[in-house]
Amino acid sequence: MVKNITIFTTNTCAYCAMVKRWLDAKGHNYEVVNLDTNPERQAEALALSGALTVPVTVVTKHDDSKEVVIGFNLAKLAPALV
Amino acid sequence: MGEPTAGQAPVHDVIMVGAGPASLAAAIYTTREDIETLVIEKGAVGGMAAITDWVDNYPGFPKGIAGLEYAENLRAQAERFGAKIDYGEVTDIRDEGKYKRVKTAEGELLAKVVLIATGTDYKKLGIPGEQEYYAHGVHYCATCDGAFYRDKRLVVVGGGNSAVQESIFLTRFASHIDLLVRSDKMRASEVLQRELRDKHADKVTIHFNTTTDEIVGQDGKVVRVTGTDTTNGQKVDFPTDGVFVFVGLKPNTEFLKTTSVELDEVGLVKTNERLETSMPGVFAAGDVRSGATMQIASATGEGATAALRIREYLDEHARQHEN
């Protein structure tokens, strides 16, 4: 079960918009961390994903385990939300 | 959906493969005429336009428009008339006469007409270090990943419009950019070259006649790019924190290679003047089409043309199959 969802994004990232739109369509709420306006949180995104890219979607489960999905990758994102 | 099912697969009037400017323009036209249309996209809606920082030459936008905003406008306009956009990857198209069978990772669909508008994607360099450091210092999308390089040094590879446009975008973040151009001049438009020279010369150093040979890392990070100065054969070294690669485009037609849709020598889809491919009932438009000019304005124009041809085809299809 999903406890919360956080998406690391930037203003210009098309794939970020795709992730948000897909989550909207599925009725999920999520927190957005915009790295253009919060550059101090880049290190957090990097530590979670291990990659210098956005979007990074972090799905936190009720047992506080996390699944991290890089990019607009529905093959990984959809199962992470079950 | 045009009809409920034929056998087990859902039937659509039109399936458009790819959701870039060509197919979204086509979808605006088809759905506005009540032709049921499903658009299938595996990546970003808006295609390459969506990941472009700024679109300056699309007619009707005197101040230009952000690529992402333009893509969102296209999507909203197509959806307003009833186009349905699904996420998925088409893996095969088969001609079964009355219908085309469209295979995706999720299952199979049938369509009276298919429009191929899968566009192109950035080519890889194919050099040591490129794959190893992908997303860890090697990138193909400046608007996605540029923000990670605030006050860092970058190398950009390429001499075309994308390389120059994205170099200009990356100057927002980077402390310095080495732009490596293989030949002795750039292919980018003179307008872009002038903007680079006049407004960003303090941050961007252009290295002509320079090949990019290897991306070198240390402790999991990119630290430098090595190349060759082709005027004298000397090795050259560029210390950097990251590399952005824009060295041309390759057509997204891998899924067509085992179909009867004919491709040209570089893998673009061959069409006649009506935008029909070699498979009856399958059309192609936009950057993926052999002879395309790789412009957003051309792609949307081709999309509109394809939609009108599709309507004619569907009229004939109805006469043949529904009487």
Side-chain angles (χ1 to χ4, degrees):
Chain A
M1 293 288 286
V2 176
K3 188 171 165 183
N4 59 58
I5 302 168
T6 302
I7 311 171
F8 292 87
T9 72
T10 64
N11 292 332
T12 52
C13 160
Y15 297 101
C16 302
M18 296 291 291
V19 170
K20 287 187 276 188
R21 187 172 307 287
W22 188 83
L23 288 172
D24 289 339
K26 299 292 177 188
H28 291 284
N29 295 317
Y30 49 85
E31 179 199 359
V32 174
V33 178
N34 186 323
L35 297 181
D36 282 322
T37 50
N38 301 280
E40 72 283 358
R41 296 189 70 177
Q42 277 185 15
E44 187 184 340
L46 177 58
L48 284 161
S49 68
L52 295 161
T53 191
V54 288
V56 173
T57 306
V58 183
V59 180
T60 305
K61 304 292 181 71
H62 273 296
D63 62 2
D64 287 328
S65 64
K66 292 183 192 301
E67 288 200 44
V68 178
V69 180
I70 300 169
F72 178 60
N73 184 343
L74 293 186
K76 289 191 175 174
L77 186 57
L81 296 170
V82 175
Chain B
M1 222 166 276
E3 296 171 21
T5 60
Q8 294 302 310
V11 176
H12 297 272
D13 286 342
V14 185
I15 290 179
M16 298 183 179
V17 189
S23 59
L24 291 175
I28 289 166
Y29 274 68
T30 54
T31 52
R32 204 162 167 267
E33 296 200 26
D34 287 332
I35 297 170
E36 185 270 339
T37 302
L38 172 67
V39 183
I40 303 174
E41 171 59 54
K42 70 170 183 175
V45 170
M48 296 288 273
I51 63 169
T52 299
D53 166 43
W54 194 253
V55 178
D56 224 9
N57 59 357
Y58 192 81
F61 294 87
K63 295 177 180 172
I65 184 169
L68 184 55
E69 185 185 354
Y70 171 70
E72 285 290 301
N73 287 348
L74 268 181
R75 180 197 58 74
Q77 193 173 3
E79 288 185 338
R80 175 160 73 94
F81 295 118
K84 185 171 188 307
I85 302 172
D86 266 0
Y87 307 114
E89 181 167 6
V90 171
T91 56
D92 193 22
I93 300 171
R94 296 288 153 187
D95 183 10
E96 297 185 353
K98 184 178 179 183
Y99 299 116
K100 315 303 153 199
R101 185 172 294 273
V102 177
K103 297 183 182 178
T104 74
E106 289 75 36
E108 297 187 358
L109 306 164
L110 295 173
K112 295 172 187 169
V113 177
V114 172
L115 174 66
I116 298 165
T118 45
T120 57
D121 208 348
Y122 286 118
K123 276 183 187 169
K124 307 278 191 292
L125 282 161
I127 60 172
E130 185 179 26
Q131 181 65 32
E132 185 181 352
Y133 290 103
Y134 171 62
H136 297 81
V138 177
H139 307 271
Y140 305 89
C141 177
T143 55
C144 306
D145 305 336
F148 285 92
Y149 292 93
R150 279 187 176 77
D151 303 320
K152 307 274 190 187
R153 286 187 72 94
L154 285 175
V155 165
V156 174
V157 185
N161 285 335
S162 294
V164 174
Q165 174 93 54
E166 302 310 312
S167 292
I168 291 168
F169 172 76
L170 289 166
T171 59
R172 297 182 192 183
F173 308 106
S175 59
H176 184 267
I177 295 170
D178 287 302
L179 178 57
L180 310 190
V181 182
R182 188 175 53 180
S183 69
D184 61 354
K185 57 182 178 296
M186 286 196 272
R187 287 176 287 108
S189 71
E190 185 52 40
V191 173
L192 280 173
Q193 291 190 51
R194 197 182 315 126
E195 183 178 349
L196 186 69
R197 279 194 307 266
D198 294 351
K199 297 182 182 171
H200 304 283
D202 58 327
K203 274 199 173 182
V204 182
T205 306
I206 305 169
H207 304 270
F208 289 106
N209 302 300
T210 303
T211 61
T212 306
D213 302 340
E214 184 176 1
I215 296 163
V216 181
Q218 192 177 321
D219 301 327
K221 292 179 179 175
V222 168
V223 294
R224 64 191 165 93
V225 168
T226 62
T228 304
D229 179 340
T230 57
T231 61
N232 56 22
Q234 296 287 309
K235 283 284 176 195
V236 282
D237 233 20
F238 302 96
T240 190
D241 298 294
V243 185
F244 284 79
V245 180
F246 305 103
V247 290
L249 301 165
K250 66 176 177 59
N252 290 321
T253 53
E254 198 62 36
F255 71 106
L256 295 172
K257 287 188 174 165
T258 56
T259 73
S260 61
V261 174
E262 197 178 344
L263 306 178
D264 71 9
E265 62 282 0
V266 294
L268 294 161
V269 179
K270 286 186 174 179
T271 65
N272 61 18
E273 70 280 359
R274 297 176 60 82
L275 304 184
E276 294 168 316
T277 73
S278 54
M279 187 188 288
V282 176
F283 295 74
D287 289 2
V288 77
R289 194 181 66 79
S290 184
T293 54
M294 308 294 180
Q295 300 297 307
I296 299 171
S298 311
T300 54
E302 288 189 16
T305 302
L308 299 177
R309 300 306 183 206
I310 284 169
R311 184 185 61 185
E312 292 169 5
Y313 182 89
L314 284 170
D315 288 345
E316 180 59 28
H317 188 277
R319 277 193 288 276
Q320 280 187 14
H321 296 289
E322 293 171 16
N323 289 330

